[in-house]
Amino acid sequence: MGKGCITVTKYFLFLFNLLFFIFGALIMGFGIWVLFDNQSFIAVLQESSDTVKVASYILIGVGSLSMAMGFFGCIGAIYEIRCLLGLYFTCLLLILIAQVTAGVLIYFQRDRLKHEMSNIIKGMIINYTGQNRTTEHTWDYIQRKMECCGWTGPGNWTENLLIKNSTQNLYPCSCRNDSLPGTDVREVGLCDHLSAEPPVFETGCINSVENWLMENCGVILGILVGVAVVELLGMILSMCLCKSVVQEDYTKVPKY
């Protein structure tokens, strides 16, 4: 009966480590997406803030470590190697503590992060020229797709250096509201308007962007919670299996 329980525990631990490996791959993949993505709001923040880049490297590192731990956990479970099981438990505990600490810090620093994001966007609008294909064109894409203009409203664009110092009536082309009469629609750069008021969207992008971030945060949190659950189960099963291994038999480990 005891031997059957050990066998079940061993293969359950192998299964959880396989899931842990997959979750680690997802976290690493998300970190790579954040680092190289240039078609979403992340690209705007990434170009102007080192925080996003550092976060992406951390995600890649945590994902890689999770994959490695999943692999070693599988080996330790199948071949019942106590030193690997103990090392696996310790690393899982450290990763879990790091994840909880990071989550608490992000939660209590959320207002500061929101303020930093607002400063980044407003600074980008002030220095907008339409020539930066990474940051500015991504912001143009956001304004077109979300049908918004500026951060809190189209008034943000009055602070743009080119618009402020120009003798023409310029406005960002990506803010163009197709339902209003005006010049031909262009996707990037600054356009000239002939009417008294520019034909732009009246709402700012702050609400749309925050909703977008909240939707993506839900995906991230879901992945992290799933990883945490697998980590806890892995820790419990690894300790149970480690206690049941009386004497290690290294002859079961394949030779290469």
Side-chain angles (χ1 to χ4, degrees):
M1 183 69 177
K3 187 175 181 181
C5 290
I6 293 175
T7 303
V8 171
T9 301
K10 179 170 67 174
Y11 284 104
F12 262 112
L13 183 59
F14 176 82
L15 176 62
F16 283 121
N17 277 292
L18 182 61
L19 293 175
F20 193 62
F21 181 88
I22 294 172
F23 278 124
L26 289 174
I27 293 175
M28 185 178 69
F30 181 77
I32 294 173
W33 173 73
V34 170
L35 187 63
F36 293 103
D37 177 64
N38 60 359
Q39 292 294 326
S40 70
F41 181 69
I42 291 294
V44 178
L45 298 180
Q46 185 188 107
E47 188 75 12
S48 306
S49 175
D50 291 332
T51 304
V52 177
K53 293 181 180 179
V54 171
S56 64
Y57 287 125
I58 291 174
L59 288 172
I60 293 172
V62 170
S64 302
L65 180 60
S66 299
M67 292 176 66
M69 292 310 304
F71 174 77
F72 288 119
C74 288
I75 298 297
I78 291 298
Y79 297 110
E80 301 179 13
I81 303 175
R82 295 187 68 181
C83 61
L84 279 182
L85 291 172
L87 178 63
Y88 172 72
F89 175 86
T90 303
C91 290
L92 278 183
L93 181 61
L94 293 176
I95 291 174
L96 187 60
I97 292 173
Q99 288 176 348
V100 173
T101 303
V104 171
L105 288 175
I106 291 173
Y107 177 78
F108 285 105
Q109 295 291 323
R110 63 189 186 279
D111 292 333
R112 180 181 175 184
L113 293 173
K114 183 178 179 180
H115 179 70
E116 180 184 355
M117 182 175 66
S118 297
N119 290 336
I120 290 172
I121 301 303
K122 291 177 180 178
M124 186 273 300
I125 289 176
I126 291 173
N127 298 292
Y128 178 90
T129 62
Q131 302 300 318
N132 188 319
R133 291 184 175 275
T134 301
T135 306
E136 296 178 351
H137 287 197
T138 299
W139 183 248
D140 286 326
Y141 176 82
I142 292 170
Q143 291 189 136
R144 290 195 312 272
K145 293 299 181 182
M146 294 185 175
E147 297 185 348
C148 55
C149 188
W151 183 238
T152 57
N156 295 141
W157 284 98
T158 59
E159 299 297 320
N160 178 265
L161 297 178
L162 292 180
I163 294 177
K164 186 185 294 186
N165 298 320
S166 176
T167 56
Q168 298 175 296
N169 297 320
L170 299 177
Y171 71 95
C173 303
S174 57
C175 284
R176 170 66 192 280
N177 188 340
D178 297 345
S179 63
L180 299 176
T183 56
D184 294 337
V185 178
R186 288 167 51 191
E187 293 187 348
V188 297
L190 299 174
C191 296
D192 187 14
H193 64 92
L194 305 178
S195 58
E197 296 294 332
V200 298
F201 300 109
E202 294 298 325
T203 58
C205 297
I206 181 170
N207 292 329
S208 299
V209 168
E210 286 181 348
N211 290 335
W212 181 90
L213 289 175
M214 288 301 297
E215 290 175 1
N216 284 273
C217 282
V219 174
I220 300 170
L221 289 175
I223 293 175
L224 293 178
V225 169
V227 171
V229 171
V230 173
E231 286 171 351
L232 288 172
L233 291 173
M235 290 167 62
I236 295 171
L237 292 175
S238 63
M239 279 296 94
C240 292
L241 185 59
C242 189
K243 288 182 178 181
S244 67
V245 177
V246 179
Q247 184 176 4
E248 296 174 312
D249 185 6
Y250 290 101
T251 60
K252 294 188 291 182
V253 181
K255 303 296 188 298
Y256 296 100

